[in-house]
Amino acid sequence: MVQKRKDEPEQSAQREPGAPKRRGRPRAYEPDVALGKALDLFRRTGFAATSLDDLSAATGMNRPSLYGAFGDKRELYIKSYRRYRDEARARTAEIFRNDWPVRKQLERIYATALDIYLSGEEGPRGCFTVMTAGSEAVADPDIRAMVQDALTELDKAFAFCFRRAKEKGELPDGADPFVLAQLASATIHSIAVRARAGTPRKELEAIVKGAIDVMLGK
Amino acid sequence: MVQKRKDEPEQSAQREPGAPKRRGRPRAYEPDVALGKALDLFRRTGFAATSLDDLSAATGMNRPSLYGAFGDKRELYIKSYRRYRDEARARTAEIFRNDWPVRKQLERIYATALDIYLSGEEGPRGCFTVMTAGSEAVADPDIRAMVQDALTELDKAFAFCFRRAKEKGELPDGADPFVLAQLASATIHSIAVRARAGTPRKELEAIVKGAIDVMLGK
DNA sequence: CGAATTTGATGCGATATGGTACAAAAAAGA
DNA sequence: TCTTTTTTGTACCATATCGCATCAAATTCG
């Protein structure tokens, strides 16, 4: 018989479709918004500096409920990170999907990146991937793999973008789409770091503009 | 009379020149190497995840001695960060100082950057500035100012480098030294992030090479 | 040698932390 | 109504953490 591990909390399988009537006492929270709050907090203070009490206060759930719904702190962090990536991917994929001129596409990508990095009530939140690389990625192989995945995914998206641009003749002949993609990613990483250091938006926008000019051969 | 604040531990003014004979019991540690050990640990695990016990074990000093020599945890972190910057500045300034072709100069800079970021017994240590931006910079104005200072210092060093190169005719006419400098910094930030995510050196070197090619107009 | 001075070592204490046990509460099903 | 199921809320535990107070140790100066 399959062993049922008690130490791995159930997925809290919420099935919203229809109204199949959940059986027991109803939840006093919505898992999605709670996870969003947790993500906000993790983005602000990082993994180690965020206590379960902080998370409990932010989500409105008490610790046992938190544990039951998302597992321990590490699992909650991982789920928060997944959600961050899903959101970021959704917002950028929508832009990459269009058949615009490269310049316009890059401008839009960086504009949304800045929106993501500069948002936050109490200071700019930066890029969660960059933050996680700086903190948990070294000691935790699973998290490291997720970060690596995020980095290469961005590289590939930019590479696709530049490859198409080259086919359309928007780039100089010698241009290497993948090299340009890595430069585009580097610019993303850089504005993420600078955002958290307090660099104002105007300055970041200037950096982005300069980088685009160089990448597209002015 | 000037109030003497007990809560600000003395600078532990070590005067090495000559041998002016310290008065009381001799130290069982060398402040410089202890600070180096503390820096190593902070770079590996970050501020919040590093306890005073960890620092005590790493430096060989017990907590009261740590406190007496460097102040509380935050002060120790700041002193560690200063030391990191001093070291990094020393190693890069030596390269920037030379009157080499830009390409060679950039190659050397990135090579030493990779040495710094990939070193570490237990995983690549990355760039302490980038790590600090991702963690303490948002909540702590003093630390944030130090990070900003580090970022602009690097920008300026690269800008000086490119300005000189342009004067020597090593760059295309349209090239803007400061824009190129920010791209060069961005590449630094990017390889720092990627290093901590586990990207192997070969790959990072390829990224650097591609970035240099683009910046110098191939 | 004894006084003065500086550092080291032990250990305390108040609080924070991650995680969990357990019973009450709120719903559905019989 | 009574059982079953699921979640909540309180309280708890073992440990970790930071900072410090206190005393012992080691050295120089008189």
Side-chain angles (χ1 to χ4, degrees):
Chain A
M1 181 191 173
V2 178
Q3 183 169 6
K4 189 161 187 185
R5 289 178 298 176
K6 180 170 180 293
D7 44 294
E8 190 154 308
E10 292 302 314
Q11 278 279 33
S12 79
Q14 73 273 34
R15 26 164 153 47
E16 297 185 22
K21 287 294 163 56
R22 296 191 56 83
R23 191 96 152 68
R25 175 173 177 170
R27 287 205 190 90
Y29 59 92
E30 291 181 72
D32 275 358
V33 319
L35 189 56
K37 299 284 188 186
L39 171 57
D40 283 350
L41 196 55
F42 275 135
R43 288 186 66 190
R44 195 165 81 222
T45 49
F47 178 82
T50 304
S51 72
L52 285 187
D53 278 335
D54 297 335
L55 289 163
S56 177
T59 58
M61 307 163 60
N62 42 34
R63 283 205 302 279
S65 295
L66 257 183
Y67 191 86
F70 304 111
D72 67 9
K73 192 176 159 186
R74 177 175 170 277
E75 286 181 90
L76 177 53
Y77 187 83
I78 290 177
K79 287 180 172 126
S80 298
Y81 182 54
R82 285 222 184 86
R83 184 205 179 84
Y84 171 80
R85 279 196 62 193
D86 289 344
E87 273 184 29
R89 186 177 12 234
R91 293 179 65 176
T92 55
E94 188 187 358
I95 297 169
F96 279 125
R97 190 186 315 124
N98 293 300
D99 193 27
W100 293 334
V102 228
R103 169 158 245 120
K104 179 175 179 181
Q105 212 148 21
L106 293 177
E107 282 169 355
R108 296 293 175 90
I109 289 291
Y110 286 116
T112 53
L114 285 181
D115 285 344
I116 295 175
Y117 301 161
L118 293 173
S119 66
E121 298 286 312
E122 338 211 0
R125 289 182 297 187
C127 170
F128 203 30
T129 295
V130 170
M131 286 182 59
T132 303
S135 53
E136 310 310 306
V138 174
D140 191 316
D142 295 335
I143 294 181
R144 181 167 62 243
M146 293 172 61
V147 170
Q148 264 293 357
D149 192 62
L151 295 176
T152 65
E153 186 178 78
L154 184 64
D155 288 339
K156 282 181 184 168
F158 274 128
F160 175 82
C161 177
F162 283 118
R163 206 176 307 125
R164 185 170 56 187
K166 187 163 187 186
E167 285 167 6
K168 294 201 289 178
E170 298 182 280
L171 293 180
D173 278 351
D176 179 335
F178 201 71
V179 165
L180 290 181
Q182 283 166 333
L183 259 185
S185 290
T187 302
I188 286 279
H189 304 153
S190 190
I191 61 177
V193 171
R194 293 178 193 265
R196 268 194 82 94
T199 305
R201 184 173 192 123
K202 282 290 169 208
E203 216 169 302
L204 298 175
E205 285 170 345
I207 291 175
V208 164
K209 185 186 177 316
I212 292 179
D213 285 344
V214 172
M215 289 189 285
L216 301 189
K218 199 51 155 289
Chain B
M1 181 190 175
V2 178
Q3 183 169 6
K4 189 163 186 183
R5 288 178 298 177
K6 180 169 178 295
D7 43 292
E8 190 154 307
E10 293 302 314
Q11 278 278 35
S12 78
Q14 72 273 35
R15 26 167 153 46
E16 297 185 23
K21 287 294 164 59
R22 297 192 55 84
R23 190 92 154 67
R25 174 173 177 171
R27 287 206 190 89
Y29 59 91
E30 291 178 73
D32 276 357
V33 319
L35 189 56
K37 299 284 187 185
L39 171 58
D40 283 350
L41 195 56
F42 275 135
R43 287 187 65 189
R44 195 164 82 223
T45 49
F47 178 82
T50 304
S51 72
L52 285 187
D53 279 335
D54 296 335
L55 289 163
S56 177
T59 58
M61 307 163 61
N62 41 34
R63 283 203 304 280
S65 295
L66 256 183
Y67 191 84
F70 304 111
D72 67 9
K73 192 175 157 186
R74 177 176 172 277
E75 285 181 89
L76 177 53
Y77 187 83
I78 290 177
K79 288 182 172 125
S80 299
Y81 182 53
R82 285 222 184 86
R83 183 206 181 83
Y84 171 79
R85 279 196 62 193
D86 289 343
E87 274 184 28
R89 186 178 11 234
R91 294 179 64 175
T92 55
E94 188 187 357
I95 298 169
F96 279 125
R97 191 186 313 126
N98 293 301
D99 193 27
W100 292 333
V102 228
R103 169 159 245 120
K104 180 176 179 181
Q105 211 148 22
L106 293 177
E107 282 169 356
R108 296 293 174 91
I109 289 291
Y110 285 117
T112 54
L114 285 181
D115 285 344
I116 294 175
Y117 300 162
L118 293 173
S119 66
E121 298 286 313
E122 339 211 0
R125 289 182 297 187
C127 171
F128 203 30
T129 295
V130 170
M131 286 181 60
T132 303
S135 53
E136 309 310 306
V138 174
D140 191 316
D142 295 334
I143 295 181
R144 181 166 62 243
M146 293 173 62
V147 170
Q148 264 292 358
D149 193 60
L151 294 175
T152 65
E153 185 178 78
L154 185 63
D155 288 339
K156 283 181 183 167
F158 274 129
F160 175 80
C161 176
F162 283 118
R163 207 176 306 127
R164 184 171 55 186
K166 187 164 187 186
E167 285 168 4
K168 294 201 290 178
E170 298 183 280
L171 293 179
D173 279 350
D176 179 336
F178 201 71
V179 166
L180 291 180
Q182 282 166 332
L183 259 185
S185 290
T187 302
I188 286 279
H189 303 154
S190 189
I191 61 177
V193 171
R194 293 178 194 265
R196 267 194 83 93
T199 305
R201 184 172 193 124
K202 282 290 170 208
E203 217 168 302
L204 298 175
E205 286 171 344
I207 291 176
V208 164
K209 185 184 178 316
I212 293 180
D213 285 344
V214 172
M215 289 189 285
L216 300 189
K218 201 53 154 290

